[in-house]
Amino acid sequence: MTAPPSVMTAAADTGLGDAAPACLSDPTTLCAKVYELSGVGWLATNAEALIEKPATILLVVVVAFVVRLLLHRAIRRLTDRTATGSMPTILRPWRNRVRSADPDGVETIAQRRTQRAEAIGSVLRSIASFVVMGIAVVLVLGELGVNLAPIIASAGVVGVALGFGAQNLVKDFIAGIGIILEDQYGVGDVVDLGEASGTVEAVGLRITRLRDVNGVVWYARNGEILRVGNKSQGYAQVVIDMPVAHDTDLDRCRRVMQEVADGMSAEEEWAAVLLGEPESLGVEQITAGGVSMRVQVRTTNADQWRVGRELRLRLTERFAAEGIRTPPPLIGTANGATAPGAR
C-alpha cells in the first residue's frame, strides 16, 4: 500500500526523502558526486557545508603543522651546525693563540657559540610559529565565512597603537638580538656599560644583568646600551705606571722594571698566562710630583687582575731593594699652595 501523494510531497519538501537535488544538472560538482555515491539528497545538497569546508579546514591545519615542523627542523639543524661546526676563519688566530696559554680557551669559545646559537634558534622558531599559525588562522576564518576586512583593519590599528606604546620594548628586543648575534658579550664577561660595570650574569633579549665588584646587581635595558667595553674578549693588556722621584736614574729604573717583568715571565707558574714578552716602555708622564714609568705585558683576560697585582708587588719590593725612591707626598700650606714634604 503506497502513501498518499501529499505525504510524499511533504517528505521531499522537508529534505527527509531521497528526492534528487537540483545540482544533478552539472555532474562535475561535489553535490552531484556525493549524490551519486550515497543517493542521499539532503547530504548532497549540504555537501559543501558538511564535507568541503571541514576538509579544507583540516587540510589547512595539517599543512600548517607540517610547515611549522619543517621550519623548526631546518632552524634546529642550522643552529646545531653553527654551534658544533668548524670554527669561523676570523676566530682561528685566537684559537691558535690561546691553545698553549689557556687550554680551556677553545672550549669557552665553543660554549659561547652554542649559547648564542640556542638563543637565536629559539627566537627564529618563535617567529616561524607565529607567522605560520597566524596565516593558518586567517585561512580558517575565511573558510568559515568570517569577514576578514574588519579584523585586519582592527589588527592594523592595534599594531600601530602597540608600536607607539611599546616602541621602547621593541627597541630593547631588537638590540638584544643584535647583541647576541654579534657576540658583543656573554655570561662571565667583565664589561663596562657606562654607568654600570661588572661581570655579566645573564643576557636576555630585553635586559642584561651584571654584578659589580661591590656585589650590586645592575639591570641594563639592551636598547639603552650605547657602548660596551668588554674586558674579557681576546686578550688583556696589563699596564702599570710606577711613580718615581725626579732625581731617579731613569735608564736604570727602566732596566730594573724590565728585569722584574722578564723574571716573572720566566717562571713556569706565570709563563702559562703571559701571551707575550713584557715591555718596559720608560717615561710615560712627568708631573710636578714625580715621573711615571710604564711597563706592560699581554696576558689572558681571566688572569689580568692577578698578573697586575703580582707585578705591582714585585716592582714595589724591587724598587725598595734597589733604593729607587717614590715621589714625596705633597703637603698643603696655609695659603692653599702645595709644597713637597720633608724627605
Side-chain angles (χ1 to χ4, degrees):
M1 184 175 181
T2 60
S6 59
V7 176
M8 296 180 61
T9 303
D13 292 339
T14 57
L16 298 176
D18 293 335
C23 62
L24 295 180
S25 58
D26 186 2
T28 61
T29 61
L30 177 63
C31 173
K33 294 184 180 298
V34 170
Y35 185 77
E36 180 182 354
L37 294 175
S38 64
V40 182
W42 67 270
L43 181 60
T45 304
N46 300 282
E48 182 179 357
L50 297 177
I51 299 177
E52 183 178 2
K53 288 186 180 297
T56 304
I57 293 175
L58 180 61
L59 179 62
V60 169
V61 173
V62 171
V63 171
F65 275 99
V66 171
V67 171
R68 177 179 175 273
L69 179 63
L70 293 177
L71 288 176
H72 281 203
R73 182 177 181 183
I75 293 172
R76 189 173 293 107
R77 181 174 298 180
L78 177 63
T79 54
D80 290 345
R81 183 179 303 174
T82 303
T84 60
S86 59
M87 185 172 292
T89 305
I90 192 173
L91 295 178
R92 288 175 185 169
W94 161 242
R95 178 190 60 183
N96 296 333
R97 183 169 60 248
V98 303
R99 177 173 295 169
S100 58
D102 185 5
D104 298 329
V106 179
E107 183 179 356
T108 301
I109 296 177
Q111 292 176 352
R112 291 277 294 274
R113 291 177 61 199
T114 301
Q115 295 174 357
R116 189 165 68 255
E118 290 177 353
I120 296 301
S122 176
V123 173
L124 292 178
R125 287 193 294 270
S126 298
I127 294 175
S129 298
F130 178 78
V131 172
V132 171
M133 293 305 171
I135 295 175
V137 169
V138 172
L139 293 177
V140 169
L141 291 177
E143 288 296 327
L144 294 176
V146 178
N147 188 6
L148 298 178
I151 297 177
I152 295 176
S154 302
V157 174
V158 172
V160 172
L162 290 177
F164 280 105
Q167 54 183 338
N168 288 333
L169 183 62
V170 175
K171 179 181 177 182
D172 294 340
F173 272 94
I174 295 177
I177 293 174
I179 289 172
I180 295 175
L181 277 175
E182 298 169 1
D183 192 23
Q184 297 179 13
Y185 52 81
V187 176
D189 287 353
V190 179
V191 298
D192 181 0
L193 303 182
E195 296 184 358
S197 61
T199 303
V200 177
E201 292 188 342
V203 181
L205 292 179
R206 193 177 70 87
I207 62 171
T208 294
R209 186 178 79 240
L210 65 156
R211 188 182 299 270
D212 64 15
V213 294
N214 297 319
V216 179
V217 178
W218 295 83
Y219 295 89
R221 286 174 42 199
N222 293 332
E224 298 297 324
I225 298 176
L226 301 180
R227 63 172 180 82
V228 178
N230 195 327
K231 302 178 182 179
S232 301
Q233 281 187 348
Y235 60 87
Q237 195 86 353
V238 176
V239 180
I240 297 177
D241 292 332
M242 296 294 293
V244 296
H246 284 103
D247 57 355
T248 302
D249 186 345
L250 299 181
D251 287 336
R252 174 170 169 267
C253 179
R254 180 179 180 180
R255 290 194 301 270
V256 169
M257 295 178 69
Q258 185 69 46
E259 291 174 1
V260 172
D262 289 341
M264 181 176 173
S265 178
E267 296 180 7
E268 182 178 357
E269 176 186 358
W270 298 102
V273 298
L274 300 181
L275 304 180
E277 295 294 332
E279 294 180 276
S280 181
L281 302 179
V283 178
E284 175 62 24
Q285 189 178 16
I286 300 177
T287 64
V291 180
S292 178
M293 302 290 290
R294 171 167 293 186
V295 61
Q296 68 179 23
V297 59
R298 182 174 298 183
T299 180
T300 59
N301 50 60
D303 298 284
Q304 54 182 306
W305 297 278
R306 186 166 65 97
V307 170
R309 288 191 292 267
E310 179 67 20
L311 187 54
R312 289 187 187 92
L313 175 62
R314 297 191 181 200
L315 287 172
T316 302
E317 292 177 346
R318 183 66 180 275
F319 276 17
E322 295 287 339
I324 300 177
R325 295 183 299 104
T326 58
L330 298 178
I331 302 176
T333 60
N335 57 6
T338 57
R343 297 182 181 178

